[in-house]
Amino acid sequence: MGMQVLLVGGGGREHALAWKIAQSPQVTKIWCAPGNPGIATLAECVPIQAEALDELVNFAVAKAIELVVIGPEAPLTLGLADLLRARGIAVFGPSKAAAQLEGSKAFMKDLLARHAIPTAAYQTFRAPEAAWQYIQEQGAPIVVKTSGLAAGKGAIVCATLDEARDALDRIMIQREFGAAGDEVVVEEFLRGEEASLLAFVDGERILPLAGAQDHKAIWDGDQGPNTGGMGAYSPAPALTDALVARAVDEIIRPTVRAMAEEGHPYRGILYAGLMIDGNTLKTLEYNVRFGDPECQPLLMRMRSDIVPLLLACATGSLENMAIDWDPRSALCVVMAAKGYPGSYPKGDPIHGLSQAAQLADTVVFHAGTRQAADQVVTAGGRVLGVTALGHGVAEAQRRAYEAVRLIDWDGVQFRRDIGYRAVAREQQAQG
Ligand code: AMP
Ligand code: GLY
């Protein structure tokens, strides 16, 4: 008999996960809490929020769910995986203690420092005066971050001391990020090119995924404030095989070992945000889940059945597993609502979804959407993740934007240059 899976979350990452899990011959039914209209074409959505832990556990028990896949960081940091494991249910995702790698930047930085894992020099503060003192001693550029979760918006890169004072003011005085800003991490500014290396981890063993890169800034040319991510692609030409091997040896493996040694074995996806500067490789951040939108291109390239991999992480049996990748590139363009990453309107009807759905090797993943009567409307900041495969990143880019051009709503915004660095590298390599 096939397996019933419960997927927790309702964004673009979860639509990509539902799309991939639905292709598994092992799965007969996918439930998703709360899901979205895109996910509803693949799974039965139930109106339980991703942070309603007790309701989720009761639901999983009542439906005899055999695997729970937790998409977002919030339920992980609240301890959903622990509650489900206590009921004997297999879970893809780390425990509450292990999720601190993302939930507390202070925890993450201190762990890396204790184990001499390369990362930017830093100090953590609970009082703005002491932080300001340190910032003045260090000088600009400098990075000021909330220690807690802030939907990808809590890291403020400051070019000047004035900007750093303003960042500190926003986080600690105006408390723009609430309790996430009770503690700040002030960090050395690192130069270089960022890349994301995600790995399946079963507590002990590590299976890296293909490389990926995302664009965090809201505007073209990587300008403007950071968002959760405006687009992503895989593979990442900047992340060569040699760099992947080094990232595993110097960063990911020592971190997984450190977590086990300190009594918080890590299970799930471990996402390392890396800064590459020539031969220097440093950890920018850890996320305890698939990146959003990196998940979308990664899963479009994954040929292997994902369900055995998710189960292997859940049950500590990743040995001898491998991933077969589509050699093509995949690229995702996020279409967002006007005003994002600030406040944005909701409820605008989205046009062109059925036309875009006709394109081959292209999937329009829903992120912030809602079904209203007979039409799909906007319901979040990041609304869609339009993702396409192509022979090379330039072709994937061209095809993704072909689909983007078919879709429209009042006030839509998207970057027009997703993948520009990779395209330039590809052109250079082709002479
Ligand atoms: P984080 O939430 O820590 O990943 O930071 C979000 C983004 O801020 C990163 O993806 C980088 O673009 C930028 N950033 C964070 N820390 C640094 C740093 N130490 N140096 C330069 N840029 C950084
Ligand atoms: N795209 C970056 C993240 O998911 O945190």
Side-chain angles (χ1 to χ4, degrees):
M1 207 191 90
M3 199 181 1
Q4 292 198 68
V5 174
L6 170 63
L7 174 62
V8 176
R13 163 184 48 218
E14 289 77 27
H15 188 182
L17 282 163
W19 177 84
K20 187 65 190 160
I21 292 169
Q23 294 167 26
S24 173
Q26 296 192 19
V27 173
T28 42
K29 168 111 187 166
I30 308 174
W31 302 90
C32 187
N36 66 35
I39 296 171
T41 64
L42 302 157
E44 183 166 343
C45 296
V46 289
I48 306 177
Q49 293 307 307
E51 284 142 65
L53 304 198
D54 293 338
E55 277 180 80
L56 290 167
V57 173
N58 291 340
F59 181 85
V61 171
K63 295 287 183 199
I65 299 292
E66 290 154 279
L67 172 66
V68 179
V69 179
I70 305 173
E73 59 277 19
L76 291 166
T77 57
L78 293 171
L80 179 57
D82 310 64
L83 295 176
L84 290 162
R85 281 192 190 110
R87 304 297 285 264
I89 300 169
V91 190
F92 180 77
S95 66
K96 181 176 182 171
Q100 289 180 93
L101 271 181
E102 176 169 2
S104 166
K105 285 192 194 293
F107 170 91
M108 183 276 277
K109 296 291 289 188
D110 291 347
L111 181 99
L112 267 54
R114 272 197 301 284
H115 295 268
I117 300 166
T119 189
Y122 74 104
Q123 277 202 24
T124 62
F125 299 94
R126 289 189 166 270
E129 300 76 22
W132 177 235
Q133 177 73 31
Y134 177 75
I135 289 168
Q136 285 173 296
E137 284 161 23
Q138 298 298 309
I142 195 154
V143 186
V144 183
K145 301 181 178 183
T146 63
S147 181
L149 295 178
K153 299 164 204 165
I156 306 176
V157 177
C158 308
T160 63
L161 282 180
D162 277 350
E163 284 178 32
R165 187 205 276 280
D166 184 56
L168 204 54
D169 187 68
R170 285 172 56 197
I171 296 172
M172 297 200 102
I173 311 289
Q174 297 172 41
R175 298 183 55 81
E176 204 175 291
F177 304 94
D182 285 349
E183 193 171 16
V184 294
V185 174
V186 179
E187 198 174 277
E188 165 198 15
F189 173 78
L190 299 177
R191 275 162 232 287
E193 185 166 348
E194 291 181 55
S196 308
L197 184 60
L198 287 71
F200 286 113
V201 181
D202 73 352
E204 195 182 327
R205 282 161 290 252
I206 294 160
L207 179 61
L209 279 73
Q213 270 174 307
D214 77 337
H215 291 273
K216 292 209 169 74
I218 183 72
W219 298 314
D220 284 9
D222 295 314
Q223 301 299 308
N226 272 340
T227 70
M230 292 301 288
Y233 49 93
S234 171
L239 207 52
T240 59
D241 291 348
L243 279 171
V244 168
R246 276 189 54 199
V248 169
D249 286 347
E250 296 169 22
I251 293 172
I252 296 181
R253 185 168 296 116
T255 301
V256 169
R257 196 177 294 139
M259 291 296 283
E261 271 172 27
E262 299 202 2
H264 321 302
Y266 191 92
R267 293 188 198 93
I269 274 282
L270 184 58
Y271 165 137
L274 304 171
M275 187 67 98
I276 305 163
D277 186 12
N279 273 324
T280 311
L281 194 58
K282 287 193 176 159
T283 323
L284 270 181
E285 65 165 338
Y286 271 122
N287 293 320
V288 298
R289 34 118 193 134
F290 278 100
D292 191 346
E294 292 93 322
C295 185
Q296 290 83 317
L298 281 169
L299 295 194
M300 276 190 74
R301 291 190 60 220
M302 187 182 286
R303 282 175 167 165
S304 314
D305 184 351
I306 195 172
V307 172
L309 293 161
L310 301 174
L311 280 169
C313 292
T315 58
S317 51
L318 257 186
E319 73 268 22
N320 305 322
M321 302 211 60
I323 307 171
D324 181 27
W325 294 102
D326 191 321
R328 288 177 294 173
S329 296
L331 183 137
C332 171
V333 178
V334 169
M335 301 181 77
K338 177 171 70 187
Y340 178 77
S343 58
Y344 46 80
K346 292 182 184 177
D348 288 304
I350 303 171
H351 309 287
L353 286 172
S354 49
Q355 288 87 330
Q358 308 293 316
L359 300 177
D361 290 328
T362 303
V363 183
V364 178
F365 292 111
H366 289 226
T369 67
R370 187 169 60 78
Q371 188 73 42
D374 57 346
Q375 56 187 2
V376 175
V377 301
T378 65
R382 292 189 293 171
V383 176
L384 301 171
V386 180
T387 313
L389 286 162
H391 294 281
V393 65
E395 189 182 277
Q397 184 192 52
R398 187 175 54 69
R399 300 183 71 179
Y401 279 106
E402 229 168 80
V404 166
R405 274 198 302 276
L406 298 173
I407 302 171
D408 190 35
W409 69 85
D410 197 23
V412 59
Q413 62 162 336
F414 55 88
R415 281 182 54 165
R416 285 154 208 279
D417 66 346
I418 299 301
Y420 72 91
R421 280 204 196 83
V423 169
R425 251 178 233 270
E426 188 171 86
Q427 282 165 352
Q428 222 172 23
Q430 289 164 356

